[in-house]
């Protein structure tokens, strides 16, 4: 079982790393155009976070069904779920893309952006909105193949896609290779082209005979309903998480520019610690669904425990580094002493909580793989608001400062990890019907 966990987790973790690297490269290239361009793309990334949360409706819903059908030996039924998911993704992308295209400028105005940022951001996000169908289909294909037990193919596609995106950024943004310099809009076109490349490759793989999965052209109403029932709580959990995150950032911003800058730097560094957690979360989600589909409930439970233990080792090791020598990584982002102190404070407290964070990542993934997304939603939202958002607000009102906010955040991480573990141990999720 350990080898199976690692075969799923390592490629998924590396793909997640490439996702982060690709965003950083985009930001670095766009940053050469000026502060307004950087702000426009940065805000667009925030909007995309909300859209990605909404995509959980079909992404998580289809994953839970596909993994369970694969586990029970019903490959054609799993392939039919891909077909259903494709139509849901296309319909959703038309709605979201249409709203994004029409209201892109308004989104930036509502955020209080300057006129320069509004002009640049509306152009960038408008182009992404036109390619929203490709973004939605890419998400579906990645989750479908992962649920079927294949994360290596998605990693290979991502490697070439990231290289393509970087190359096209160079050509489109700055006007090399005979292309006209398009600035921020060039970055958007490069991103859409990279997603198009992904979708073409995924489409070819899913049309091939003899693969782990294909597209079986039957629209089953039952699977559509199950997908929505499973996926909706996951989407609600992520949308609430994204909006709550923005509130948390606002609280930190109230403590000064250095505190906010230190927090943002800390987040970028902490993303490296998330990488193994994300990978083993995918492994736990896939194996829980497949083993439950095969009615091997003991294996389903054991796979989550094993994935959690390995993730705890990896993330705990990173946590020790963050706790002892956070300045080693912070110095690559800033030389300002106060900002460095603020970032170090955040990373040290984050380092303490890496082990319970690993538990949260992996065990929530196992619950979602079993289709028990409502359980995961209740724990995540309940813990976030009861033990992080409200206490942080009260701490600030009582003069506790940024240290008090970060302590509340750390305590909440421990509570959430413990809460997921208690629910996981009860094993009710193993009998969740989909």
């Amino acid at each position: 079982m350990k080898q199976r966990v690692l075969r799923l987790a390592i490629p998924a973790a590396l793909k997640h790393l490439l996702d982060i690297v690709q965003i950083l490269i985009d930001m670095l290239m766009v940053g050469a155009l000026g502060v307004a361009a950087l702000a426009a793309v940065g805000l667009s990334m925030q909007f995309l976070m909300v859209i990605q949360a909404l995509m959980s409706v079909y992404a998580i819903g289809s994953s839970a069904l596909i993994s369970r059908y694969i586990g029970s030996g019903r490959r054609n039924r799993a392939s039919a779920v891909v077909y259903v998911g494709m139509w849901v993704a296309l319909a959703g992308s038309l709605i979201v893309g249409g709203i994004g295209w029409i209201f892109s400028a308004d989104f930036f105005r509502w955020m209080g952006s300057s006129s320069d940022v509004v002009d640049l951001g509306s152009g960038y996000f408008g182009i992404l909105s036109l390619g929203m169908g490709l973004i939605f289909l890419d998400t579906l294909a990645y989750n479908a193949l992962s649920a079927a037990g294949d994360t290596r193919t998605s990693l290979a596609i991502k490697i070439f896609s990231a290289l393509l995106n970087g190359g096209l950024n160079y050509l489109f943004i700055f006007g090399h290779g005979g292309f006209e310099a398009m600035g921020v809009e060039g970055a958007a076109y490069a991103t859409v082209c990279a997603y198009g490349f992904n979708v073409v490759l995924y489409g070819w793989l899913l049309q091939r005979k003899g693969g782990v999965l294909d597209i079986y052209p039957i629209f089953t109403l039952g699977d559509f309903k199950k997908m929505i029932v499973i996926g909706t709580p996951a989407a609600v959990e992520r949308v609430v998480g994204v909006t709550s995150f923005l509130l948390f950032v606002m609280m930190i911003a109230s403590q000064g520019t250095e505190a906010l800058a230190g927090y943002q730097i800390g987040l970028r560094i902490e993303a490296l610690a998330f990488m193994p957690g994300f990978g083993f979360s995918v492994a736990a989600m896939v194996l829980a669904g497949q083993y439950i589909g095969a009615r091997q409930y003991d294996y389903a439970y054991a796979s989550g425990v094993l994935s959690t233990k390995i993730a705890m080792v990896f993330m705990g090791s990173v946590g020790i580094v963050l706790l002892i020598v956070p300045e080693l990584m912070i110095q690559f982002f800033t030389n300002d002493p106060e900002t460095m102190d603020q970032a170090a404070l955040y990373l040290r407290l984050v380092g303490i909580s890496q082990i319970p964070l690993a538990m949260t990542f992996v065990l929530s993934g196992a619950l979602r793989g079993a289709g028990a997304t409502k359980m995961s939603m209740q724990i995540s939202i309940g813990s976030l608001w009861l033990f992080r958002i409200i206490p942080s607000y009260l701490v600030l009102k009582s003069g506790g400062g940024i240290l008090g906010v970060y302590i509340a955040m750390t305590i909440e991480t421990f509570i959430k990890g413990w809460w997921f573990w208690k629910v996981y141990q009860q094993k009710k999720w193993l009998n969740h019907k989909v």
Side-chain angles (χ1 to χ4, degrees):
M1 183 182 290
K2 183 178 180 180
Q3 292 301 316
R4 193 175 181 187
V5 168
L6 292 174
R7 280 199 302 269
L8 288 167
I10 292 174
L14 291 175
K15 180 189 177 295
H16 181 61
L17 174 63
L18 285 176
D19 288 336
I20 296 169
V21 170
Q22 183 174 325
I23 291 172
L24 289 176
I25 291 173
D26 279 357
M27 298 297 282
L28 286 171
M29 288 188 168
V30 169
L33 302 175
V35 176
L38 192 61
V41 175
L43 275 176
S44 296
M45 294 298 105
Q46 299 298 318
F47 298 149
L48 279 177
M49 284 176 60
V50 177
I51 292 170
Q52 287 166 350
L54 293 172
M55 286 193 284
S56 299
V57 171
Y58 68 87
I60 300 299
S62 62
S63 293
L65 291 174
I66 289 169
S67 61
R68 189 168 291 205
Y69 289 145
I70 290 291
S72 61
R74 291 181 286 176
R75 181 182 174 279
N76 286 344
R77 186 69 181 272
S79 298
V81 173
V82 179
Y83 184 74
V84 174
M86 182 181 72
W87 285 108
V88 175
L90 288 173
S93 69
L94 284 174
I95 296 170
V96 173
I99 293 172
W101 171 255
I102 295 169
F103 297 105
S104 58
D106 295 312
F107 292 154
F108 288 89
R109 291 193 191 98
W110 294 336
M111 296 295 289
S113 304
S114 66
S115 58
D116 287 347
V117 174
V118 171
D119 291 340
L120 293 171
S122 60
Y124 180 87
F125 192 70
I127 293 166
L128 290 186
S129 297
L130 291 177
M132 200 61 68
L134 297 173
I135 297 173
F136 273 56
L137 288 174
D138 172 75
T139 299
L140 171 69
Y142 166 70
N143 281 275
L145 281 181
S146 296
D150 181 8
T151 55
R152 285 181 293 182
T153 298
S154 293
L155 172 61
I157 291 174
K158 185 62 187 182
I159 291 171
F160 290 106
S161 174
L163 291 172
L164 175 65
N165 186 77
L168 292 179
N169 271 343
Y170 178 74
L171 298 177
F172 293 168
I173 294 174
F174 305 112
H176 296 293
F179 290 94
E180 179 184 352
M182 292 180 275
V184 169
E185 292 188 357
Y189 284 120
T191 298
V192 171
C193 287
Y195 275 112
F197 172 81
N198 292 353
V199 171
V200 168
L201 285 184
Y202 278 128
W204 174 72
L205 287 169
L206 291 171
Q207 290 292 340
R208 263 190 335 170
K209 300 298 181 184
V212 293
L213 206 61
D214 55 29
I215 301 174
Y216 200 71
I218 295 179
F219 192 97
T220 54
L221 188 59
D223 284 339
F224 169 74
K225 291 179 179 178
K226 289 177 182 178
M227 185 184 300
I228 300 302
V229 169
I230 293 170
T232 298
V236 170
E237 176 185 339
R238 292 190 177 182
V239 169
V240 172
V242 169
T243 53
S244 300
F245 168 77
L246 294 176
L247 287 174
F248 191 68
V249 172
M250 288 172 63
M251 293 183 204
I252 293 170
S254 71
Q255 299 303 294
T257 303
E258 289 79 9
L260 180 59
Y263 175 69
Q264 295 292 346
I265 291 170
L267 278 181
R268 299 291 180 270
I269 296 171
E270 189 189 10
L272 297 175
F274 287 170
M275 185 180 66
F278 180 84
F280 288 102
S281 174
V282 171
M285 183 168 63
V286 172
L287 293 177
Q290 290 190 2
Y291 281 131
I292 289 172
R295 300 185 184 279
Q296 296 177 323
Y297 300 108
D298 289 340
Y299 283 124
Y301 181 83
S303 66
V305 173
L306 178 60
S307 298
T308 301
K309 288 179 178 178
I310 300 174
M312 287 167 67
V313 171
F314 278 100
M315 293 182 67
S317 301
V318 175
I320 292 172
V321 176
L322 296 179
L323 179 63
I324 298 174
V325 284
E327 294 85 2
L328 284 178
M329 291 162 284
I330 296 169
Q331 64 185 346
F332 291 106
F333 293 86
T334 183
N335 293 318
D336 179 69
E338 190 170 349
T339 302
M340 290 184 72
D341 289 343
Q342 291 288 340
L345 173 64
Y346 173 79
L347 287 174
R348 284 196 169 96
L349 285 167
V350 161
I352 293 171
S353 58
Q354 285 302 297
I355 288 178
L357 187 60
M359 295 172 67
T360 296
F361 264 114
V362 179
L363 299 179
S364 64
L367 295 185
R368 285 192 289 270
T373 51
K374 192 173 180 180
M375 289 184 188
S376 178
M377 178 193 71
Q378 290 169 339
I379 297 171
S380 294
I381 295 177
S383 176
L384 181 62
W385 275 88
L386 290 176
F387 303 113
R388 180 180 297 198
I389 301 298
I390 294 175
S392 294
Y393 176 77
L394 295 176
V395 164
L396 288 179
K397 284 295 183 182
S398 62
I402 195 69
L403 176 60
V405 170
Y406 288 159
I407 289 174
M409 174 193 71
T410 303
I411 292 172
E412 187 270 335
T413 304
F414 275 88
I415 291 173
K416 187 184 292 183
W418 171 82
W419 196 345
F420 268 112
W421 175 240
K422 294 302 291 184
V423 169
Y424 190 84
Q425 279 186 311
Q426 292 171 0
K427 299 185 179 181
K428 293 180 181 178
W429 56 275
L430 288 169
N431 300 308
H432 186 83
K433 296 189 181 298
V434 299

